């Protein structure tokens, strides 16, 4: 049976009230319009409650944006996802790796590309502002396994895809996401904000 809106919203309110650790926003849309919003928690210590325009750290959901951009660019430029990295980026600094892996393997975490892009030193992490800043953290690493033989989650592989997009389009990865994902989807509060200078509407994770 179809649950009446009022009953659904009351259930959500009860779940939020019963989950004090939850900090965020729940929005329900109907026929293209937001019909219900519930908020809980604070956007940062000593800060205010979240609202419908609060920006939250999306984490690896951003990988979906990267895949969309890769597929769009491949279609526009006429290359296959089974093309090697070397064929699309002959100047990539580690050609042994570039010749062995395909774009599809990078997208599906089957490339073997490894490297810790999360420096343990918080001060060092603060200096990582562009995708190019991450490259030295993994570019010289050998492949973890023969491409296509295993699957292993690779953050470095997706940074590499972002760098490939910059190389192929001659545009900043962040500008591409802003234009083709955020603005296209009406995500007016979304963006890439440095950890040390978050805007007031951004939550601190």
């Amino acid at each position: 049976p179809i649950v009446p809106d009022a009953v659904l919203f009351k259930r959500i309110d009860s779940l939020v009230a019963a989950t004090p650790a939850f900090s965020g926003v729940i929005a329900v849309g109907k026929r293209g319009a937001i019909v219900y919003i519930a908020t809980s928690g604070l956007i940062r210590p000593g800060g205010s409650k979240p609202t419908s325009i609060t920006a939250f750290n999306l984490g690896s959901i951003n990988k979906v944006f990267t895949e969309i951009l890769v597929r769009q660019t491949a279609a526009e430029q006429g290359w296959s996802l089974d093309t090697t990295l070397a064929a699309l980026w002959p100047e990539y600094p580690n050609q042994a790796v570039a010749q062995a892996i395909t774009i599809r393997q990078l997208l599906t975490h089957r490339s073997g590309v490894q490297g810790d892009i999360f420096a343990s030193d918080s001060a060092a992490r603060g200096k990582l502002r562009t995708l190019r800043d991450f490259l030295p953290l993994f570019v010289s690493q050998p492949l973890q396994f023969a491409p296509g033989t295993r699957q292993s989650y690779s953050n470095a592989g997706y940074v590499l895809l972002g760098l490939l997009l910059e190389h192929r389009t001659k545009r900043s990865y962040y500008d591409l996401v802003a234009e083709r994902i955020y603005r296209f989807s009406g995500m007016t509060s979304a963006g890439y904000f440095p950890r040390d200078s978050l805007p007031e509407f951004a939550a601190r994770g």
Side-chain angles (χ1 to χ4, degrees), residues 22-58:
F22 172 70
S23 179
V25 177
I26 297 173
V28 178
K30 187 175 184 180
R31 297 186 180 92
I34 300 297
V35 296
Y36 168 87
I37 290 180
T39 65
S40 180
L42 302 175
I43 65 173
R44 61 185 71 186
S48 57
K49 291 185 66 175
T51 70
S52 59
I53 66 165
T54 298
F56 294 93
N57 189 336
L58 291 175

Side-chain angles (χ1 to χ4, degrees), residues 82-110:
D82 295 309
T83 306
T84 65
L85 179 64
L88 297 172
W89 192 355
E91 303 83 12
Y92 183 69
N94 189 336
Q95 279 295 295
V97 166
Q99 291 170 9
I101 62 176
T102 67
I103 309 310
R104 191 182 305 277
Q105 288 167 343
L106 284 166
L107 286 170
T108 57
H109 302 278
R110 299 181 65 83

Side-chain angles (χ1 to χ4, degrees), residues 20-202:
F22 172 70
S23 179
V25 177
I26 297 173
V28 178
K30 187 175 184 180
R31 297 186 180 92
I34 300 297
V35 296
Y36 168 87
I37 290 180
T39 65
S40 180
L42 302 175
I43 65 173
R44 61 185 71 186
S48 57
K49 291 185 66 175
T51 70
S52 59
I53 66 165
T54 298
F56 294 93
N57 189 336
L58 291 175
S60 284
I61 293 175
N62 188 66
K63 289 182 173 65
V64 177
F65 300 161
T66 302
E67 181 171 1
I68 290 170
L69 294 174
V70 167
R71 290 179 178 275
Q72 287 179 345
T73 304
E76 291 165 359
Q77 297 184 356
W79 44 268
S80 165
L81 297 182
D82 295 309
T83 306
T84 65
L85 179 64
L88 297 172
W89 192 355
E91 303 83 12
Y92 183 69
N94 189 336
Q95 279 295 295
V97 166
Q99 291 170 9
I101 62 176
T102 67
I103 309 310
R104 191 182 305 277
Q105 288 167 343
L106 284 166
L107 286 170
T108 57
H109 302 278
R110 299 181 65 83
S111 68
V113 168
Q114 62 175 327
D116 183 9
I117 67 168
F118 299 111
S120 58
D121 184 343
S122 59
R125 288 187 66 181
K127 296 177 182 177
L128 302 173
R129 301 283 178 160
T130 68
L131 294 188
R132 182 66 61 172
D133 294 335
F134 287 90
L135 190 57
L137 300 178
F138 65 86
V139 68
S140 62
Q141 294 287 327
L143 292 173
Q144 186 179 11
F145 50 82
T149 62
R150 286 174 47 195
Q151 185 175 43
S152 180
Y153 194 84
S154 175
N155 288 305
Y158 264 75
V159 172
L160 184 48
L161 286 168
L163 286 165
L164 173 66
L165 286 166
E166 293 189 336
H167 175 74
R168 297 293 303 185
T169 65
K170 309 305 180 188
R171 298 184 61 194
S172 159
Y173 169 82
Y174 305 108
D175 288 345
L176 287 170
V177 175
E179 175 189 317
R180 296 193 169 196
I181 305 294
Y182 296 156
R183 286 200 289 273
F184 181 83
S185 305
M187 299 168 65
T188 56
S189 299
Y192 289 91
F193 312 120
R195 292 171 178 266
D196 55 5
S197 57
L198 291 175
E200 287 301 314
F201 62 85

